[in-house]
Amino acid sequence: MHRLALFISAAVAALALAGCAQDFDQGPKGRVTDKVKDGKKFYLVVDPANGADQKKFRVSKYDYHDCNRGSKYPKCIDD
């Protein structure tokens, strides 16, 4: 009985951790021109290196904090 309870606890913990991962599509390569926080959603605005229009896309809070205005994206999330 004790082993079953331990197994169930471990399975619940693993599922909870798996649900915490955020997987957003990566934005275009370019220079970060703005950062936007909307409640608990975080966005970067990037001026693409290829001359296209600026693009706003959702990122994790960690990427939001790692990338400052003027930094190169996606290099700022890799550093």
Side-chain angles (χ1 to χ4, degrees):
M1 187 67 173
H2 179 65
R3 287 183 185 174
L4 180 61
L6 183 63
F7 175 77
I8 291 172
S9 296
V12 168
L15 288 174
L17 286 175
C20 292
Q22 295 177 334
D23 188 26
F24 301 111
D25 291 335
Q26 190 170 16
K29 292 181 181 180
R31 186 136 336 250
V32 177
T33 58
D34 201 7
K35 297 167 63 165
V36 180
K37 183 178 175 187
D38 182 16
K40 292 189 177 190
K41 296 179 183 176
F42 301 90
Y43 300 90
L44 292 178
V45 180
V46 170
D47 188 12
N50 64 5
D53 291 337
Q54 289 186 351
K55 179 160 173 77
K56 176 181 170 184
F57 55 96
R58 191 166 176 198
V59 294
S60 72
K61 70 177 178 181
Y62 304 107
D63 292 348
Y64 177 85
H65 291 294
D66 287 345
C67 295
N68 297 313
R69 288 173 186 87
S71 60
K72 290 183 179 179
Y73 182 85
K75 186 177 183 330
C76 58
I77 64 172
D78 295 331
D79 290 343

